[in-house]
Each structure stands twice: as C-alpha cells, then as structure tokens.
Amino acid sequence: AGARRLLSLAAALLSPGSARGQLLFQRSGWGIVGEVSREDSGEDYLAALRTDYKFRIQEQYVRYTVDLLVEPCRDQIRAGGMGDACCEGASIAGCQHHYEVEGGPDMQIAYLQNAHVPNCRDTPFEDDPNCGTFIEVHRPGNRVVLADVQVDAVEFPSGYLTARMATANLCIGPYELWWVVRNPAAGPYVLKTRRFFVRKPTCPVPEGGVPAPELNLPVAPMP
C-alpha cells in the first residue's frame, strides 16, 4: 500500500494539472492526492484548507513589517492618473485604505512585507494548498476561510504589491483580511489582520428572517 501511494504521489506531482499557472492544486504532501479546483475559492478547495490557526500578530518594526490595505486606488484623484496601478511598487504615500466597500466580483487589495515571503516552490509541497503565503478573508474571529489569494510569487518585494480578492459571496457586515503563512507540518500562522466592512449588497433574507437594517430605512421625503 505504501509503494502504491508513493507511485500515486509521484504521478500526481508530474501530471500536467500540477503545472504552475493551472487552476488546479495537487493535494500532495501531507494531504490527499487528487486534483482540487482553485477557481473562485471553490468549496472543495476551501474544504481542503487547515484551520488550526496560530496567531502571531507582528508589531510594526522597521526590519519586519506586514501591512494590508483595502481598495488602495479607489479615489482616482489621489491615484494621480495611475488608475488601479497607483499602489503597485509604491510606498504608503501612493496608496489608500478604505474601511467600507461594496461586495462584488473582486476587490483590489495591497500588501507589504519587507522581509522574505515564504513559499513552497521546488519542494514536494509546491502545489499543496496548505503551503505558502496567502491573504484570506474571514468573519472577525471566525476560522472559516471565505476567500483567499496566494501572494508569495515575489520572495523579496519592494514596496506594496496588489492583488484581487473575490467578494461576490460576502454579505453586509464586518470582515477581516488575514496574512497567513501556511506550513504543511505546523499548520497556518496568522501574522497580520486588517478589518473592513461590506455595506452592500445584503443577502436574500431566509423565510421568517429579519431583513438587514438598510432595507428597513424609511424613504426620504421629496424636497
């Protein structure tokens, strides 16, 4: 049985689906061998993630800093004609942070880490979703991953980098970005969190439920 598993593992690691850039993860390493779709943080993918988090929130320090920003280029005047690229490779002076956002297909975020960003390339865990550095979306204090994006392509970044985070499934309410280093042996470590608030849309109200406050606001009188 052990030999068969090793052969299966080798075949999975060498299969076309494990190539970098495909929307498939090979659940190898400590996980179960088999392809898992990464697209839109699907249910099968999210179910494969470990949630035994260890919180090691880092204080800002000149030699080691992690920072997270939400919608860093929303204000086009402050973006100075750079559009969505205003924060790419920039310092904090060129970026913004907005606490309130609207849910939709994606949300731009910016991140900074001024030391080495851990990754799992060229290791047996290269395509294991539980290995590498990710930014995740959570409800405050909730370990369930709602969406994530891998951010370890650049090992030694200079300035802020940007990415897109899926928010189509987020209802009105508070959320947090978590900077997570996933270790296949020790589990995921949370080094930084940043809170934001989705003000709309509200999700459909289940039968017998109470509508969100925004839907109960009185209609303003005509001037």
Side-chain angles (χ1 to χ4, degrees):
R4 286 197 300 271
R5 177 168 175 77
L6 287 175
L7 289 173
S8 298
L9 175 58
L13 290 174
L14 295 174
S15 68
S18 65
R20 178 72 47 186
Q22 298 294 319
L23 293 176
L24 293 173
F25 274 95
Q26 294 292 336
R27 291 167 63 185
S28 55
W30 304 126
I32 302 170
V33 175
E35 292 182 346
V36 178
S37 174
R38 174 65 178 80
E39 189 172 7
D40 295 329
S41 297
E43 292 183 5
D44 289 342
Y45 167 79
L46 294 178
L49 302 182
R50 292 178 59 172
T51 58
D52 51 335
Y53 293 99
K54 291 85 174 172
F55 287 82
R56 303 290 188 271
I57 304 300
Q58 305 294 307
E59 293 190 15
Q60 303 293 58
Y61 178 53
V62 66
R63 293 185 179 179
Y64 184 81
T65 294
V66 178
D67 195 22
L68 300 169
L69 304 175
V70 174
E71 294 197 346
C73 301
R74 182 203 291 179
D75 187 329
Q76 291 299 299
I77 295 178
R78 292 174 59 187
M82 297 291 290
D84 288 349
C86 77
C87 196
E88 194 72 31
S91 67
I92 187 62
C95 306
Q96 311 161 33
H97 173 72
H98 298 274
Y99 174 68
E100 290 193 359
V101 302
E102 295 182 9
D106 56 27
M107 171 181 74
Q108 187 182 38
I109 60 172
Y111 56 94
L112 169 74
Q113 216 268 47
N114 65 345
H116 177 255
V117 179
N119 67 74
C120 301
R121 285 188 293 278
D122 300 322
T123 75
F125 303 96
E126 179 173 9
D127 294 307
D128 190 325
N130 287 298
C131 193
T133 303
F134 292 76
I135 297 175
E136 303 174 356
V137 175
H138 293 256
R139 283 283 192 178
N142 193 316
R143 294 172 182 260
V144 175
V145 183
L146 301 175
D148 72 351
V149 62
Q150 193 165 4
V151 292
D152 55 16
V154 181
E155 293 187 56
F156 292 97
S158 177
Y160 284 85
L161 298 177
T162 61
R164 292 281 176 176
M165 183 71 72
T167 59
N169 296 325
L170 304 186
C171 303
I172 188 170
Y175 295 88
E176 289 179 340
L177 296 177
W178 291 8
W179 178 278
V180 181
V181 177
R182 299 176 184 170
N183 184 309
Y189 283 79
V190 182
L191 305 184
K192 176 76 175 181
T193 65
R194 189 70 183 260
R195 185 166 294 196
F196 66 99
F197 189 88
V198 175
R199 64 186 179 190
K200 66 178 184 181
T202 58
C203 293
V205 180
E207 186 176 353
V210 179
E214 184 177 87
L215 300 182
N216 288 329
L217 294 176
V219 178
M222 294 292 290

